Amino acid sequence: MSRSLALLTGLLPLLLTLAGCSSAPPLDIRAMVAEYATHMQQNYLVRPGDRLAVNVVQDPSLTQEVLVSPAGTVGLLRIPGELRVEGRSMSAVRLEIQRAYGLILSEPDVNVSLLEVSASAVFVAGEVRDPGVIPYTKGMTATTAIAAAGGLRITAKWNDVRILRNRPGQEPRTIRLDADRTFHGEGPDFLLLPGDVVYAQTSAIADVGNWVQLYIRNLLPFQFSAVPIVPNY
C-alpha cells in the first residue's frame, strides 16, 4: 500500500466522524409555529406593498383590507388623511390604528393581521442546483425554498439541512431540518421568515471526496486514473 493511500485509509474514520458531527438543536414544532406567528402578527416590520386586514370589533362595517402605499402609509375608512405605518411592528400598527379609531369610537377594539407581504427574500445556499435569492411569500417553508432553488444535489446531506436565523436584537440561531423525512412526508417542514438562510450541507461521502481532492490529489505528483487496471494473467 502506498504511503498516500495508507494516509487516506487511516483518516477516513476521522473524516466520517467529523462530517457527522452536529451541534444544532432538533426541530421543535411548537416553538417554530409560535415564533412564526409572533413574528408575523407582532414583530414583523411593515413595509410598502404589504396588505393588511383591519377589523374593528365594535363596528363590522369598518372591516377592511388596506395596501401599504409606496410612501409607507395606509388610508382607513372614516379616518381623514393617511396613517404612516412603514417600519413599525404589527403590534405598533395595531395600537396606532386603534388610537385613530379612538377619535370616533369609544374604546375601540381593533385587530390587525398581515395578509400578504411585499417582495422580500430568503437565501438558499450550499448543495442545491441553483443557489441564490428566493422571493419570500407568506407561509414559505424550507422545502419550497429548496425546490425554488432547483432542489438538493445528490451530494447534499439531506437529513441535516440548516436554517440560519438572525433576528434584530437576538442571538443568531441554527435550526436543523431532516429534509429527507420531510420530502417523503414523514417529518415536519419548517416555516421560514424573511431573511432566513437555508443551507444544504455536503454529505459525509461528498466531504471526504472534496477532502481527497483538495488535500491529497492536488498534492500528489501523479493523477488518479478512472481506467480500471486489468490484471495480466
Side-chain angles (χ1 to χ4, degrees):
M1 180 182 295
S2 70
R3 184 173 181 179
S4 298
L5 184 57
L7 174 63
L8 174 59
T9 303
L11 285 175
L12 274 174
L14 175 60
L15 294 173
L16 290 170
T17 300
L18 291 175
C21 289
S22 174
S23 60
L27 179 58
D28 185 328
I29 302 300
R30 291 185 178 181
M32 172 192 68
V33 173
E35 181 177 22
Y36 179 85
T38 298
H39 180 82
M40 283 301 187
Q41 299 303 333
Q42 295 184 25
N43 303 327
Y44 174 80
L45 299 182
V46 175
R47 66 189 73 189
D50 288 347
R51 188 177 298 275
L52 311 177
V54 179
N55 175 36
V56 181
V57 177
Q58 288 89 337
D59 189 346
S61 69
L62 295 176
T63 297
Q64 58 199 286
E65 292 184 11
V66 295
L67 182 67
V68 182
S69 72
T73 62
V74 294
L76 300 172
L77 294 173
R78 295 178 57 189
I79 300 297
E82 295 282 315
L83 193 67
R84 184 163 189 82
V85 296
E86 180 183 7
R88 297 185 178 184
S89 67
M90 288 294 295
S91 56
V93 169
R94 185 188 71 81
L95 291 175
E96 187 64 18
I97 293 177
Q98 185 167 279
R99 183 197 63 78
Y101 276 114
L103 300 176
I104 60 174
L105 298 172
S106 176
E107 298 183 356
D109 184 8
V110 176
N111 296 317
V112 180
S113 58
L114 181 65
L115 295 179
E116 184 179 343
V117 298
S118 63
S120 50
V122 298
F123 308 89
V124 184
E127 296 299 297
V128 293
R129 299 187 185 280
D130 189 18
V133 179
I134 305 297
Y136 178 82
T137 56
K138 186 180 179 182
M140 175 177 279
T141 65
T143 58
T144 56
I146 290 170
L152 293 171
R153 292 182 177 274
I154 194 172
T155 50
K157 192 173 184 179
W158 287 58
N159 65 349
D160 194 0
V161 173
R162 302 301 177 93
I163 294 93
L164 311 179
R165 174 164 291 174
N166 187 12
R167 302 258 70 82
Q170 300 179 15
E171 288 293 325
R173 291 186 296 133
T174 302
I175 301 98
R176 187 172 72 244
L177 173 70
D178 188 337
D180 188 40
R181 286 174 52 82
T182 302
F183 277 118
H184 286 88
E186 300 173 355
D189 209 340
F190 186 85
L191 287 166
L192 297 176
L193 293 175
D196 281 350
V197 177
V198 180
Y199 180 72
Q201 304 182 97
T202 54
S203 67
I205 297 300
D207 281 338
V208 170
N210 292 336
W211 193 92
V212 171
Q213 180 64 40
L214 289 173
Y215 296 103
I216 295 183
R217 292 191 183 188
N218 291 346
L219 297 178
L220 293 177
F222 56 87
Q223 296 295 318
F224 286 96
S225 174
V227 178
I229 300 176
V230 180
N232 184 16
Y233 294 106

